[in-house]
Amino acid sequence: MDHLARPRLVIEQVSPTVDGGEYAVKRIVGDTLHVGAAIYKDGHELISAQVCFRKVGSSEAHTEPLVYEFNPDRWFAHFVLPEIGDHEMWIEAWPDPFLTWRRDLEKRIEAGEDITGELREGAKLVRIRSKSLPEERVEPLMNAARVLGNDDVGVETRTRVAFSQTLKELMYGPLEPGDLLRTRFYPIRVDRKEAGFSSWYELFPRSQGTTPGVHGTFADTERRLPEIAAMGFDVIYLPPIHPIGVTHRKGKNNARVGQPGDVGSPWAIGAAEGGHTAVHPELGTIDDFRQLVRAARDFGIEIALDFALQCSPDHPWVKEHPEWFYIREDGTIRYAENPPKKYEDIYPLNFWAPEAGGLWEAARDALFFWIDQGVKIFRVDNPHTKPLSFWQWCIAEVQARHPDVIFLSESFTRPNRMQGLAKLGFTQSYTYFTWKNTKQELEQYLNEITRPPISEYYRPNFFANTPDILHEYLQHGGRPAFRIRLLLAGTLAPVYGIYSGYELCENEAVHPGSEEYLDSEKYEIRVRDWNAPNNIKRDISKLNSIRQSQPALQVLTNLAFIPSSNDQVIAYVKYAPGGVGSHLLIVVNLDPHHVHEANVDVPIHHFGIAETDSYIVRDLLAGTEYTWKGSRNYVRLDPTDKVGHLFEIVRPA
Amino acid sequence: MDHLARPRLVIEQVSPTVDGGEYAVKRIVGDTLHVGAAIYKDGHELISAQVCFRKVGSSEAHTEPLVYEFNPDRWFAHFVLPEIGDHEMWIEAWPDPFLTWRRDLEKRIEAGEDITGELREGAKLVRIRSKSLPEERVEPLMNAARVLGNDDVGVETRTRVAFSQTLKELMYGPLEPGDLLRTRFYPIRVDRKEAGFSSWYELFPRSQGTTPGVHGTFADTERRLPEIAAMGFDVIYLPPIHPIGVTHRKGKNNARVGQPGDVGSPWAIGAAEGGHTAVHPELGTIDDFRQLVRAARDFGIEIALDFALQCSPDHPWVKEHPEWFYIREDGTIRYAENPPKKYEDIYPLNFWAPEAGGLWEAARDALFFWIDQGVKIFRVDNPHTKPLSFWQWCIAEVQARHPDVIFLSESFTRPNRMQGLAKLGFTQSYTYFTWKNTKQELEQYLNEITRPPISEYYRPNFFANTPDILHEYLQHGGRPAFRIRLLLAGTLAPVYGIYSGYELCENEAVHPGSEEYLDSEKYEIRVRDWNAPNNIKRDISKLNSIRQSQPALQVLTNLAFIPSSNDQVIAYVKYAPGGVGSHLLIVVNLDPHHVHEANVDVPIHHFGIAETDSYIVRDLLAGTEYTWKGSRNYVRLDPTDKVGHLFEIVRPA
């Protein structure tokens, strides 16, 4: 029984972590990482502990001492994350007989004890420690030990050495190497700013022309950049831009059989002109695309691409690599099915086929291809229909080479699988936001995703609509509904987006009860008047501009709902993150059809305001100010005028 | 890149677990273990999963299929724990293309499709599966494949085979061995009934005589058994029974210097007569002790011993094994200190001394010695002053040989360390209960320890007093205070205890502000009249008898506090566990000095009672019944009469 091989102490309940270190915690570069742990051992001996942090692959770690706090009986440290990329942290702790000895020595001196014996004990500790140190540090330690242990030297001198800062620093660390306990590595993924804060705009390039029925191009898209930039968006996301299959091409409004001239769904990827690394000829050339990327960049806008791993029957891979598909007993390739429904225009890929190793690499290499064209954001289509292991591998491969690449998971599935995709590496995720329209639904859902454990790894991207989701709330709520959902999306989540047409309050469904758009752009070209009457572009510009200037709207976890006396009026605070910027109070009328009044209970004690104090709240949307007093205050919201207040708390009055 | 080596699915959020499987979940034999997990994969393919469970060291596992529940998006199974000892469980899951094929086949048949091609696909699955099965199961599978795949056989016959129960059972399991995903082992500790439900009585054998000043014996203790059994206790715990050191022996009331004739503290273990495996001669012989253990057993009572790993300077180990102690620079052994306080009557043991391996074994062997004398419960003194690694090793060693041994941790320290001792193996733990006397304190503390994660591993033993803790609530509250705390201890926790003298309401502290008893038995012999006036033995008997007959008082996690309109009146429900026995409603006046009234809100909807229903509540303490109606009902508690109600919910009226 080798008792000396057993650990001297316990380190546990390390935070932040995801599933005990199985997956990475996500943070943004420049964030302060707050590390905590429960660390304990037997007896009354002191413990020393530190957190170590380094880039994956680096041999040098940053260390930060952990400090014990009696309440809540945990050790803490914090430091700023200086760089994007994959990192790891771990905790080290050791019994500290030297500090214990110093603490006790102090008490003995206070009690007037004879400490010469104790000084000799100290010398012994110093000698033991010196044995495991590099040579250059041994000499000063041995000198200290000689003074401490020498009864011929005056006690005053020896005491001075005992309490010297130099000796304390030299003695920092485990007395003997075996005393050290080290935890596992806990991964920390540090992303660039845009991963945590950005405003998305989705558009179909083929609809960006000005003549109805004429296929739009990258050049047409480029012409829209000033307008999109003026709305304040910083990411434009394009559905697939690849050649579109012709076999079994779908018609308008998802008709099973298309008509001559139908342009097909961009998600039916691949044709004679190429597959996942080719550009649909009617959009332009690869150079046109690169030009669009460059032009957008000049407006502070990034182009995000769709990454949809599926093939039309005309995709080059079908001929080149039939072994990457599902082969039926009769030798044909299996099209997509959800029995008894058939999707003959799509061949799913078989990632688990014995010979599909090349497919995994080809898929990854398609990403590298677009990265080379200047694309650093990918919106991944239905990732939950491809192996989880594939994404874990693929994202790690890409981010190892390009740590600034952002992956957005477009997955609407059961919660654990949706969150699982975020755990394994997706930078951002689509959410259930479009289906949360009541106060109770919103509060419950936001309370869940803005707090640990989920908030440690899952970054919501609140799209207010998508080409697949026109919620009935928007179908029936008119212009006020679009303004309400815009305000909610843009203030509840630091990352949000709209799909073009939203600014025009497009709300016609293909049929009652469906969330599909009538004459959906997924199957045809739609040319619009982007300045049509009743558009809400001013609301969008205003909101995005406020988001830029208010740090409180740039983080996720600073949200707190507050009581309002009316179930149709939702109210919440976004606290100034780390004390930077203003605290914001947002009050929204959720009913697009009626005026509502409410009393809201402002958490003034968090703002340093007393119940008897007056203070000013400034509505950043309307530019108006109100003088409020105490916690309970009155609001009235007419959805035809103001759907909500976005108050900056200004104090005192 | 070997894509086939990567997992096909994810298994996570397994419950119950402690720290992700690092420590054992604790249960009682006969308990139903409810297992849950999140399991998911990509795509629409079905998953099959099972939980496996076995005794540590056994090669055979019990398996139970896991069943998916849409809400809360988790898989569940449950089974009864048949045996005490260390167990492990794990979860296995695999993609199930066969079940998926059957599901889709059913849909295709409903849709009237030609399924002959699909039947051939099924035959292919059956052939693949047969490759990894033992020979005796291959033949029936190959037969089935031949029928399924043969277009000359009628579709009806082939369909019957496809949906046959036999084929389903043969196909249960991963299609190919590599498809299986298996989690780590999660330890499950199964203890005997008494670990989770028992009533403790602590006594000093030397005080059990009848003549003041005369040292009591094991035989005297034996004479008290009928009375203790009549009170309803099933564990008698004895402070150390070993020879007591004479060097620096403490005097009465912890006087630093003892007087001739002082009996010393039983925790100053070891003298010329022996150490941790010897009996103090004045108590009797080892045979007398064995006789006490036997006699107690006849009354349904177990004798629990103290296990205090420290030595008086006279302990045999001091001479035999000086290397197990702390040796100072001058060669002397270091006594216990908390500078500037000195405890010269105690030598702490140095478990980390390089030569202390033998100490670890000797300490374990002392336990084996007492187990051989019939002792199966050990109350461990201050375990947090000995290495955590030692306890983890020692408890595992003992329970591997004697799975029915119970360890009670007497540790009062910071929460993480206290809970850490429970995690590493202690069966039961002392608690902060004595210091929780207000309604808010009690509710907060009980809500914490009766729920996961803590309740998975930490079994509280609610001592109402100990030789070290006479809380001021008892010092000043008189007889009502003792009855109140008894009722709370015995109904809030399935394991509780009192230290003898409690039944006599002994409440004199050594000095104001101290929790120490005046003339504490720790340092002297105290002979008492166990039938002194105003004793509360009838309360104790009644309570313990109710505890025996009410399953709701025998488990920990069925507690729910309910609102009461008076801060001095606490109210809680103990739900019938697994529907066995009655639901109980306990209402206690926490103020020993005054009458209090309250309205309590009974959670009648949980009892199947409507707001308009009348129902009977029967006070099991007083034997009286009341007819109540609806949720809100009135109570009045006079602490000189009834300190509380212990209602059985009886319905309807």
Side-chain angles (χ1 to χ4, degrees):
Chain A
M1 205 273 310
D2 180 11
H3 67 296
L4 296 178
R6 294 175 185 271
R8 302 308 203 256
L9 18 68
V10 172
I11 309 173
E12 61 181 26
Q13 300 169 55
V14 175
S15 66
T17 60
V18 177
D19 290 3
E22 192 67 21
Y23 302 101
V25 164
K26 295 202 183 88
R27 289 294 186 273
I28 298 295
V29 64
D31 278 358
T32 296
L33 190 71
H34 293 266
V35 178
I39 307 175
Y40 52 88
K41 66 180 291 295
D42 58 294
H44 306 292
E45 198 176 28
L46 294 174
I47 293 170
S48 286
Q50 62 187 16
V51 54
C52 309
F53 179 80
R54 70 176 173 204
K55 267 196 109 157
V56 169
S58 165
S59 58
E60 267 180 51
H62 170 77
T63 64
E64 198 75 46
L66 285 155
V67 177
Y68 178 69
E69 289 185 22
F70 188 81
N71 258 318
D73 190 23
R74 283 171 68 75
W75 295 68
F76 294 101
H78 63 268
F79 51 90
V80 170
L81 300 170
E83 206 178 335
I84 64 170
D86 292 317
H87 294 76
E88 54 204 5
M89 73 167 184
W90 65 97
I91 288 174
E92 297 177 344
W94 56 92
D96 201 323
F98 177 74
L99 285 190
T100 309
W101 171 80
R102 269 176 45 137
R103 176 195 65 185
D104 291 351
L105 192 65
E106 210 169 335
K107 290 184 191 164
R108 291 177 203 280
I109 292 168
E110 272 170 30
E113 288 182 25
D114 171 8
I115 58 163
T116 51
E118 284 306 316
L119 288 166
R120 286 196 302 270
E121 298 287 329
K124 183 167 134 193
L125 294 177
V126 173
R127 282 195 301 271
I128 295 173
R129 166 81 175 143
S130 73
K131 284 180 200 157
S132 56
L133 288 186
E135 214 156 320
E136 69 274 16
R137 297 171 67 189
V138 171
E139 191 52 33
L141 278 179
M142 291 310 289
N143 287 339
R146 271 189 290 272
V147 176
L148 284 174
N150 187 347
D151 285 350
D152 296 337
V153 177
V155 166
E156 209 173 300
T157 305
R158 293 163 74 187
T159 306
R160 206 171 51 239
V161 169
F163 291 104
S164 77
Q165 185 62 20
T166 317
L167 183 59
K168 187 179 172 186
E169 281 165 18
L170 284 165
M171 290 296 286
Y172 181 78
L175 196 67
E176 298 182 273
D179 294 349
L180 182 81
L181 182 67
R182 186 175 281 149
T183 64
R184 66 171 287 167
F185 294 151
Y186 296 96
I188 313 279
R189 166 78 205 167
V190 183
D191 289 303
R192 60 184 166 108
K193 192 180 121 296
E194 292 77 11
F197 172 56
S198 45
S199 310
W200 287 50
Y201 185 78
E202 174 176 0
L203 63 79
F204 285 68
R206 69 186 181 191
S207 291
Q208 305 310 312
T210 47
T211 312
V214 175
H215 204 286
T217 64
F218 293 134
D220 291 322
T221 307
E222 200 180 323
R223 271 189 291 276
R224 281 207 66 214
L225 288 174
E227 181 205 342
I228 296 166
M231 282 192 279
F233 291 106
D234 32 41
V235 177
I236 293 177
Y237 146 53
L238 312 181
I241 58 172
H242 314 300
I244 296 171
V246 291
T247 306
H248 297 296
R249 179 180 278 189
K250 295 286 169 95
K252 285 177 181 156
N253 286 307
N254 201 18
R256 212 186 137 203
V257 180
Q259 302 300 316
D262 275 347
V263 289
S265 162
W267 284 275
I269 295 174
E273 297 86 355
H276 282 79
T277 53
V279 156
H280 189 57
E282 294 194 67
L283 291 171
T285 65
I286 190 77
D287 283 337
D288 296 338
F289 176 74
R290 294 169 67 109
Q291 164 58 24
L292 171 63
V293 170
R294 271 193 305 272
R297 196 176 296 145
D298 291 342
F299 282 98
I301 292 176
E302 266 191 85
I303 299 294
L305 283 192
D306 202 298
F307 189 53
L309 282 174
Q310 56 197 18
C311 297
S312 94
D314 310 313
H315 195 291
W317 286 351
V318 174
K319 280 202 188 101
E320 291 165 14
H321 294 289
E323 74 279 11
W324 293 354
F325 297 86
Y326 294 89
I327 315 286
R328 297 176 55 94
E329 277 290 272
D330 63 7
T332 61
I333 291 180
R334 190 189 271 280
Y335 47 78
E337 274 189 291
N338 187 9
K341 288 189 199 162
K342 299 169 193 302
Y343 306 94
E344 287 132 317
D345 59 332
I346 296 292
Y347 285 173
L349 288 154
N350 181 2
F351 287 82
W352 294 119
E355 312 80 7
L359 164 61
W360 290 44
E361 282 155 2
R364 174 202 59 190
D365 292 346
L367 291 167
F368 284 141
F369 174 85
W370 292 107
I371 291 167
D372 287 344
Q373 314 314 315
V375 176
K376 293 294 186 87
I377 306 182
F378 296 94
R379 176 270 197 194
V380 178
D381 188 72
N382 275 325
H384 61 278
T385 59
K386 291 93 198 172
L388 300 156
S389 288
F390 166 74
W391 293 118
Q392 191 161 24
W393 169 83
C394 179
I395 293 172
E397 286 271 305
V398 171
Q399 289 187 336
R401 229 150 99 182
H402 304 282
D404 55 343
V405 169
I406 291 171
F407 289 92
L408 165 61
S409 159
E410 187 253 1
S411 174
F412 301 106
T413 177
R414 298 295 301 145
N416 283 320
R417 188 158 75 166
M418 236 166 115
Q419 290 158 20
L421 288 159
K423 283 186 191 171
L424 64 78
F426 278 92
T427 322
Q428 299 176 353
S429 303
Y430 278 63
T431 73
Y432 302 137
F433 171 66
T434 43
W435 299 289
K436 306 293 178 186
N437 288 281
T438 69
K439 183 169 162 178
Q440 199 198 343
E441 285 167 351
L442 284 163
E443 290 190 358
Q444 192 185 328
Y445 185 54
L446 268 297
N447 280 336
E448 190 186 317
I449 64 173
T450 59
R451 296 175 187 176
I454 298 179
S455 64
E456 298 292 13
Y457 61 86
Y458 184 89
R459 288 204 195 94
N461 185 332
F462 271 15
F463 264 90
N465 68 327
T466 79
D468 303 316
I469 312 171
L470 172 66
H471 192 274
E472 61 171 0
Y473 182 92
L474 296 176
Q475 294 178 31
H476 305 308
R479 188 171 181 270
F482 282 77
R483 298 178 72 216
I484 290 166
R485 296 293 298 178
L486 173 76
L487 182 56
L488 290 171
T491 55
L492 286 169
V495 182
Y496 90 108
I498 61 169
Y499 152 56
S500 59
Y502 190 95
E503 64 269 48
L504 306 179
C505 306
E506 290 180 353
N507 67 350
E508 269 191 274
V510 65
H511 59 73
S514 170
E515 294 186 346
E516 289 285 338
Y517 281 87
L518 176 67
D519 302 332
S520 169
E521 266 182 295
K522 291 193 287 188
Y523 313 103
E524 60 189 280
I525 294 163
R526 292 194 58 176
V527 172
R528 301 168 172 98
D529 172 5
W530 297 107
N531 294 310
N534 290 318
N535 72 65
I536 59 168
K537 286 163 71 175
R538 278 173 73 131
D539 290 282
I540 295 170
S541 307
K542 188 80 198 169
L543 178 64
N544 282 335
S545 142
I546 296 169
R547 282 165 49 87
Q548 286 297 337
S549 62
Q550 294 295 332
L553 295 177
Q554 299 171 12
V555 295
L556 177 68
T557 54
N558 60 340
L559 174 71
F561 290 99
I562 62 171
S564 108
S565 58
N566 183 333
D567 258 3
Q568 294 293 338
V569 176
I570 195 168
Y572 44 98
V573 169
K574 293 283 285 183
Y575 287 101
V580 177
S582 300
H583 302 298
L584 303 180
L585 168 64
I586 296 113
V587 189
V588 184
N589 178 359
L590 297 177
D591 177 359
H593 304 291
H594 302 99
V595 176
H596 282 278
E597 302 172 322
N599 284 304
V600 296
D601 292 331
V602 187
I604 51 174
H605 52 289
H606 284 164
F607 308 145
I609 297 171
E611 198 56 46
T612 50
D613 285 352
S614 289
Y615 54 100
I616 289 169
V617 293
R618 180 182 300 140
D619 189 334
L620 300 175
L621 294 169
T624 51
E625 289 188 350
Y626 304 84
T627 300
W628 280 8
K629 191 173 175 182
S631 53
R632 174 154 282 215
N633 287 281
Y634 168 85
V635 294
R636 180 182 186 279
L637 293 164
D638 177 350
T640 63
D641 172 21
K642 277 196 275 284
V643 296
H645 292 297
L646 201 175
F647 287 128
E648 182 183 8
I649 306 288
V650 190
R651 61 168 294 255
Chain B
M1 204 272 311
D2 180 10
H3 67 296
L4 295 178
R6 294 175 185 268
R8 301 307 203 256
L9 16 70
V10 172
I11 309 174
E12 61 181 26
Q13 301 169 53
V14 175
S15 67
T17 60
V18 176
D19 289 3
E22 191 68 22
Y23 301 103
V25 163
K26 296 202 182 87
R27 289 295 187 272
I28 299 295
V29 64
D31 278 358
T32 297
L33 189 72
H34 293 264
V35 178
I39 306 175
Y40 51 89
K41 66 180 291 295
D42 58 294
H44 305 293
E45 198 176 28
L46 294 174
I47 291 171
S48 286
Q50 62 187 15
V51 53
C52 309
F53 180 81
R54 70 175 175 205
K55 267 196 110 156
V56 168
S58 165
S59 58
E60 266 180 52
H62 169 78
T63 63
E64 198 75 47
L66 285 154
V67 177
Y68 179 69
E69 289 185 21
F70 188 81
N71 257 319
D73 191 23
R74 283 172 68 75
W75 294 68
F76 294 102
H78 62 268
F79 52 89
V80 170
L81 300 169
E83 207 179 334
I84 64 172
D86 292 317
H87 293 75
E88 55 203 6
M89 73 167 185
W90 66 96
I91 288 175
E92 297 177 344
W94 57 92
D96 202 323
F98 177 74
L99 285 189
T100 309
W101 171 79
R102 269 176 46 137
R103 176 197 65 186
D104 291 350
L105 193 65
E106 210 170 333
K107 290 183 192 163
R108 292 179 203 278
I109 292 169
E110 272 170 31
E113 288 183 25
D114 171 10
I115 58 165
T116 51
E118 285 306 316
L119 288 166
R120 286 194 304 269
E121 299 286 329
K124 183 167 137 192
L125 295 176
V126 173
R127 282 194 301 271
I128 295 172
R129 166 81 175 144
S130 73
K131 285 181 199 154
S132 56
L133 287 186
E135 213 156 320
E136 70 274 16
R137 297 172 66 190
V138 172
E139 191 52 33
L141 278 179
M142 291 312 288
N143 287 339
R146 270 188 291 272
V147 176
L148 285 175
N150 186 346
D151 285 350
D152 295 337
V153 177
V155 166
E156 207 173 302
T157 304
R158 295 163 75 188
T159 306
R160 206 170 52 240
V161 169
F163 291 105
S164 77
Q165 184 62 21
T166 317
L167 182 59
K168 187 179 171 188
E169 281 164 20
L170 283 165
M171 290 296 287
Y172 181 78
L175 196 68
E176 298 184 273
D179 293 350
L180 183 81
L181 183 66
R182 186 175 280 150
T183 64
R184 66 171 286 167
F185 293 152
Y186 296 95
I188 313 279
R189 167 77 205 167
V190 184
D191 288 303
R192 62 185 165 105
K193 192 179 121 293
E194 293 75 11
F197 172 56
S198 45
S199 310
W200 287 51
Y201 185 78
E202 173 175 1
L203 63 80
F204 285 68
R206 70 187 181 192
S207 290
Q208 305 309 312
T210 48
T211 313
V214 174
H215 202 287
T217 63
F218 292 134
D220 292 322
T221 307
E222 198 180 325
R223 270 189 293 277
R224 282 206 65 215
L225 289 173
E227 183 206 340
I228 297 166
M231 281 192 280
F233 290 107
D234 33 39
V235 177
I236 293 177
Y237 147 54
L238 311 181
I241 58 171
H242 315 300
I244 296 171
V246 292
T247 305
H248 297 296
R249 179 179 278 190
K250 294 285 168 95
K252 286 176 180 156
N253 285 309
N254 201 19
R256 211 185 137 204
V257 181
Q259 302 300 316
D262 274 347
V263 290
S265 163
W267 283 275
I269 293 171
E273 298 86 355
H276 281 80
T277 52
V279 155
H280 189 56
E282 294 193 70
L283 290 172
T285 65
I286 189 78
D287 284 336
D288 296 338
F289 176 74
R290 294 168 67 108
Q291 164 56 23
L292 172 62
V293 170
R294 271 193 304 272
R297 195 175 298 144
D298 291 342
F299 282 97
I301 292 175
E302 266 191 84
I303 299 294
L305 282 192
D306 202 298
F307 189 53
L309 282 174
Q310 56 197 20
C311 298
S312 94
D314 311 313
H315 195 291
W317 286 350
V318 175
K319 281 203 186 98
E320 293 164 14
H321 293 288
E323 76 278 11
W324 293 354
F325 297 86
Y326 294 88
I327 314 286
R328 296 176 56 93
E329 277 290 89
D330 62 9
T332 60
I333 291 179
R334 191 189 271 279
Y335 48 77
E337 275 188 291
N338 186 9
K341 288 190 199 161
K342 298 169 195 300
Y343 307 94
E344 287 133 314
D345 58 333
I346 296 292
Y347 286 172
L349 289 154
N350 182 1
F351 287 83
W352 294 119
E355 313 81 5
L359 164 61
W360 290 44
E361 282 154 1
R364 173 201 60 189
D365 293 346
L367 291 168
F368 283 140
F369 174 85
W370 292 107
I371 291 167
D372 287 344
Q373 314 312 316
V375 176
K376 294 293 186 87
I377 306 182
F378 296 94
R379 176 270 198 193
V380 178
D381 189 72
N382 276 324
H384 61 278
T385 60
K386 292 94 199 172
L388 300 157
S389 288
F390 166 73
W391 294 119
Q392 191 161 24
W393 169 84
C394 179
I395 293 172
E397 287 269 306
V398 170
Q399 290 186 335
R401 228 150 97 181
H402 304 282
D404 54 344
V405 169
I406 290 171
F407 289 92
L408 165 62
S409 158
E410 188 253 1
S411 174
F412 301 106
T413 178
R414 298 296 301 145
N416 283 320
R417 188 157 75 165
M418 236 166 115
Q419 290 157 19
L421 288 159
K423 282 186 193 172
L424 64 78
F426 278 93
T427 323
Q428 300 176 353
S429 304
Y430 278 63
T431 73
Y432 302 137
F433 171 67
T434 44
W435 298 289
K436 307 293 178 186
N437 288 280
T438 68
K439 183 169 161 179
Q440 199 198 345
E441 286 167 351
L442 284 164
E443 290 189 357
Q444 191 185 329
Y445 186 55
L446 267 296
N447 281 336
E448 189 185 318
I449 64 172
T450 59
R451 296 175 189 176
I454 297 180
S455 64
E456 299 293 14
Y457 60 85
Y458 184 90
R459 288 204 195 94
N461 185 331
F462 271 16
F463 264 90
N465 68 328
T466 80
D468 302 318
I469 312 170
L470 171 67
H471 193 273
E472 61 170 1
Y473 182 92
L474 295 177
Q475 294 177 31
H476 305 307
R479 188 171 181 271
F482 282 78
R483 297 178 72 216
I484 289 167
R485 296 293 297 177
L486 173 76
L487 181 56
L488 291 171
T491 55
L492 286 169
V495 182
Y496 91 108
I498 61 169
Y499 151 56
S500 59
Y502 190 95
E503 64 268 50
L504 306 179
C505 305
E506 289 180 354
N507 67 351
E508 270 192 272
V510 67
H511 60 72
S514 170
E515 293 187 345
E516 289 285 338
Y517 281 87
L518 177 67
D519 302 332
S520 168
E521 267 182 296
K522 291 192 287 188
Y523 313 103
E524 61 189 279
I525 294 163
R526 290 194 59 175
V527 172
R528 300 168 172 99
D529 172 7
W530 296 107
N531 294 310
N534 290 320
N535 72 65
I536 59 167
K537 287 163 70 174
R538 279 172 72 133
D539 290 282
I540 295 169
S541 306
K542 189 79 199 169
L543 177 65
N544 282 336
S545 141
I546 295 169
R547 282 165 49 88
Q548 285 297 337
S549 62
Q550 295 294 333
L553 295 177
Q554 299 171 12
V555 295
L556 177 69
T557 53
N558 59 339
L559 175 71
F561 290 99
I562 62 171
S564 108
S565 58
N566 182 332
D567 257 2
Q568 294 292 337
V569 176
I570 194 168
Y572 44 98
V573 169
K574 293 283 284 183
Y575 287 101
V580 178
S582 300
H583 302 298
L584 303 180
L585 168 65
I586 296 114
V587 189
V588 184
N589 177 358
L590 297 175
D591 178 357
H593 304 291
H594 301 99
V595 176
H596 282 278
E597 302 172 321
N599 284 305
V600 296
D601 293 330
V602 187
I604 51 173
H605 52 289
H606 284 163
F607 308 146
I609 297 171
E611 198 56 46
T612 50
D613 285 351
S614 289
Y615 54 100
I616 289 169
V617 294
R618 180 182 300 140
D619 189 335
L620 301 175
L621 295 170
T624 50
E625 290 189 351
Y626 303 83
T627 300
W628 280 8
K629 191 171 174 183
S631 53
R632 174 155 281 216
N633 286 281
Y634 168 85
V635 294
R636 179 182 187 280
L637 293 164
D638 177 350
T640 62
D641 172 24
K642 278 196 276 286
V643 295
H645 291 297
L646 201 175
F647 287 129
E648 183 183 8
I649 306 288
V650 189
R651 62 169 293 257

